[in-house]
Amino acid sequence: MSIDFAHFTPGAALVGGLIIGLAAAVLVLGAGRIAGISGIVGGLLLRPRGDMDWRIAFLVGLMGAPVIAALLGHPVVPEIVAGWGEVLAAGFLVGIGTRYAGGCTSGHGVCGLSRGSVRSLVATLTFMTAGIATVYVVRHVVGG
């Protein structure tokens, strides 16, 4: 195993993690809401009365961050090495997984673990194990 030091950015990762943790803490302490993306988007689809504004603001902030980064001279240009079929299938599978797990990686991994939730611990371990297994299979079984 080798580390790609050209793309190894522990400082930026630390700052990003602190910002995510701060945002999750502000949302739970200020509004009593969990910063889980699947729950936020799912709530938008259900259109609950009086519960739309904070969800829309959260998503606008989430999607606006790359725009602000680009305006500051740090454009975010993701490289996706998959076709549309693969991307759609992956998104569909992630959607199914979040329904079965009762939340997504941000809800369980950031918010649930910080609250000491055993259910979130099991869900996060499952997410991580599935991700590690998928990368191994794709890199060493299918691709290699």
Side-chain angles (χ1 to χ4, degrees), residues 26-98:
V26 166
L27 189 59
V28 78
L29 294 173
R33 304 294 185 172
I34 300 296
I37 303 305
S38 64
I40 293 170
V41 173
L44 279 175
L45 298 175
L46 297 173
R47 298 182 174 260
R49 291 192 178 184
D51 199 38
M52 298 287 284
D53 293 344
W54 75 270
R55 293 173 190 276
I56 292 169
F58 190 93
L59 290 175
V60 166
L62 190 66
M63 293 184 291
V67 174
I68 293 170
L71 292 173
L72 294 174
H74 303 288
V76 178
V77 184
E79 181 182 339
I80 300 173
V81 289
W84 280 105
E86 294 167 309
V87 171
L88 291 173
F92 181 71
L93 290 172
V94 167
I96 290 172
T98 61

